[in-house]
Amino acid sequence: MNTSDLKKLAQEQQEYMVGMRRHFHENPELSGEEHETRKVLIHEIEFMGIPYELLPGTGIIATIHGGKPGKNNLLRADIDALPVQEENDNLKQQKKCLSKVPGKCHACGHDAHMSVLLGTMKVLSQIKDDLEGNVYCCFEEGEETNCGIDKMMTALDKFKVDRCFALHVYAGLDAGKVNVVPGPRMAGTVGIGIYIRGKAGHGSRPDQAINPIIPAAHIVTQLNSAFMNQLNVEETVTLGLCVLKAGEATNVFADHAYLGGTARFFNKEEGEKALKIINTIAENTAACHQCTVDYQPRHCISPYPVINDETVALHTQGMIKQICGEDVLGDCDRWYASECYSAYLNRYPGALGFLGIRNEELGSGAAHHNGKFDLDESCLSLGVCSELAFVFSK
């Protein structure tokens, strides 16, 4: 395909994508509850005449069969919203589109992800005779809670996938820019959920109880010290201890304390080392104070970091440049948020691109997972160009 034709076809989907994005935005559904969202996606996919498979839950895999032999590519969009109350205004003015569901909104941009992938599918369905190989279009349930990723990975077992690609809209990058580069792009997460078990008792006799607050406090301070002294100083690992709870009454020792938070990392080995440090300190510190520990199911590494394959990232970047020109390529730092798209990258060579949505004049650019979050919808056609660039890159 001629690159100018690809750009034109992408731009022709802009009005359609704006309409779809606003529909999804007005009707958000939380992780694992995206039943009406899936009905809308099915309607659009069937209208395009593209075969699809329904996954247990709310996920979908649609397959565009190319007219020529070639690599089989995978494109992914997530479909869930957040339990966040949307504000009427963005950073500057009233938003063009608002959630109709109190307490729920697409405050991370998954409405845009769905719309861009639908736009890309419309283009690919028009030119499938020129397409080499198949394109598997994955609409993933429940990214925010990771409740759909295992179902998707299981469903993909029967497909031969050579490469994968996804976009994430990003408030840290200007609209009209896209960033696709090799290496770590989003952080992995060590979930921290520790119960320190002691023995309840009256506050007047600490010798007759086993106060779990004491080891909990020591665990907090020792974790900070251990992270500083035991982890590789050249590899960023952050520690966020956000919850410390124990007891209800001022004269009663509780029988347990709870410590919760996360650590974020970009190097798999350092993340695994961080989890080992956390467990060692928790268990030994508790034992010193005659306490025991047990862990929540979330106390593990999930997900791992998003690390872009160098070849896929650079080839996609080069094709974006051919389609849209070098000016659309933007620079931005890696993102400390986490993304279960890492599961795809652990299985296939691939990349995640950041699609800029910040526009000071329009007021878009508030942080993700924020009631003021908004995006510049002009980004959508560039999103399609980027996904087409991946599909047609060699």
Side-chain angles (χ1 to χ4, degrees):
M1 285 294 296
N2 185 291
T3 54
S4 61
D5 291 338
L6 290 175
K7 183 177 181 180
K8 181 174 182 293
L9 289 168
Q11 291 173 334
E12 288 173 354
Q13 306 309 318
Q14 178 67 15
E15 184 177 351
Y16 166 75
M17 290 187 291
V18 169
M20 294 307 304
R21 182 257 162 181
R22 293 186 183 184
H23 175 83
F24 291 132
H25 192 86
E26 290 173 352
N27 300 279
E29 294 178 299
L30 301 183
S31 304
E33 302 174 3
E34 310 97 324
H35 302 289
E36 294 303 315
T37 299
R38 180 158 81 164
K39 288 179 183 178
V40 174
L41 290 168
I42 290 170
H43 177 271
E44 297 303 312
I45 294 168
E46 289 182 342
F47 187 78
M48 297 179 210
I50 298 172
Y52 63 90
E53 172 185 338
L54 299 180
L55 277 57
T58 59
I60 306 172
I61 300 175
T63 303
I64 301 171
H65 296 285
K68 301 176 182 179
K71 292 179 179 178
N72 294 318
N73 293 305
L74 181 152
L75 293 169
R76 177 268 204 169
D78 34 16
I79 67 175
D80 54 330
L82 286 158
V84 172
Q85 178 61 47
E86 182 162 33
E87 297 186 29
N88 289 338
D89 292 346
N90 58 26
L91 295 176
K92 186 174 182 180
Q93 60 189 338
Q94 185 170 340
K95 298 176 183 178
K96 295 179 180 178
C97 179
L98 292 167
S99 169
K100 295 179 179 179
V101 185
K104 302 176 185 179
C105 75
H106 275 287
C108 203
H110 298 182
D111 50 350
H113 299 172
M114 288 185 279
S115 304
V116 168
L117 184 50
L118 287 173
T120 300
M121 292 170 66
K122 284 177 74 71
V123 173
L124 291 175
S125 66
Q126 294 175 47
I127 59 174
K128 60 184 178 182
D129 290 343
D130 294 315
L131 183 62
E132 298 177 359
N134 302 322
V135 179
Y136 304 115
C137 302
C138 300
F139 293 90
E140 182 190 319
E141 168 190 357
E143 186 278 329
E144 296 293 351
T145 64
N146 296 348
C147 70
I149 187 62
D150 290 342
K151 300 172 193 175
M152 182 63 74
M153 291 295 104
T154 299
L156 287 170
D157 283 341
K158 62 179 176 291
F159 294 96
K160 183 183 183 302
V161 177
D162 295 298
R163 307 182 306 167
C164 63
F165 185 74
L167 287 170
H168 204 304
V169 295
Y170 186 39
L173 186 64
D174 287 339
K177 301 289 185 181
V178 63
N179 174 269
V180 185
V181 296
R185 301 312 294 147
M186 294 186 73
T189 297
V190 177
I192 301 171
I194 307 170
Y195 290 100
I196 301 99
R197 306 289 183 184
K199 178 183 175 183
H202 195 281
S204 65
R205 290 298 302 268
D207 57 311
Q208 294 179 355
I210 301 175
N211 184 0
I213 293 176
I214 305 302
H218 281 290
I219 290 168
V220 170
T221 58
Q222 290 188 45
L223 282 179
N224 277 285
S225 177
F227 268 46
M228 183 184 301
N229 291 287
Q230 296 180 36
L231 291 171
N232 187 339
V233 296
E234 295 184 356
E235 297 289 347
T236 300
V237 182
T238 66
L239 177 64
L241 297 173
C242 302
V243 179
L244 178 55
K245 296 193 295 187
E248 298 292 338
T250 58
N251 63 344
V252 177
F253 292 115
D255 63 356
H256 75 276
Y258 174 74
L259 180 62
T262 63
R264 305 291 175 132
F265 62 96
F266 294 95
N267 178 291
K268 293 181 181 180
E269 290 72 24
E270 288 302 297
E272 290 166 353
K273 188 194 298 184
L275 178 58
K276 185 177 180 180
I277 290 170
I278 292 165
N279 292 349
T280 299
I281 287 177
E283 292 163 18
N284 289 306
T285 304
C288 287
H289 294 271
Q290 298 180 292
C291 289
T292 60
V293 300
D294 55 70
Y295 303 108
Q296 282 187 309
R298 67 178 292 273
H299 188 88
C300 63
I301 294 177
S302 180
Y304 275 88
V306 171
I307 301 175
N308 285 352
D309 177 82
E310 182 174 8
T311 299
V312 174
L314 292 179
H315 286 191
T316 302
Q317 181 191 103
M319 195 65 182
I320 292 172
K321 193 187 304 184
Q322 289 184 44
I323 295 172
C324 299
E326 190 170 1
D327 289 348
V328 304
L329 299 177
D331 293 324
C332 61
D333 293 334
R334 56 191 181 178
W335 192 3
Y336 281 77
S338 297
E339 239 284 1
C340 59
Y341 179 67
S342 58
Y344 299 78
L345 296 177
N346 288 337
R347 184 180 290 191
Y348 317 115
L352 174 75
F354 293 151
L355 183 64
I357 58 172
R358 182 176 60 201
N359 185 323
E360 292 184 6
E361 185 177 340
L362 295 179
S364 62
H368 296 250
H369 294 213
N370 183 302
K372 289 187 175 295
F373 178 84
D374 198 8
L375 57 85
D376 180 349
E377 293 172 327
S378 69
C379 74
L380 300 175
S381 60
L382 178 56
V384 174
C385 287
S386 301
E387 292 185 343
L388 293 174
F390 161 73
V391 170
F392 284 94
S393 64
K394 300 297 183 183

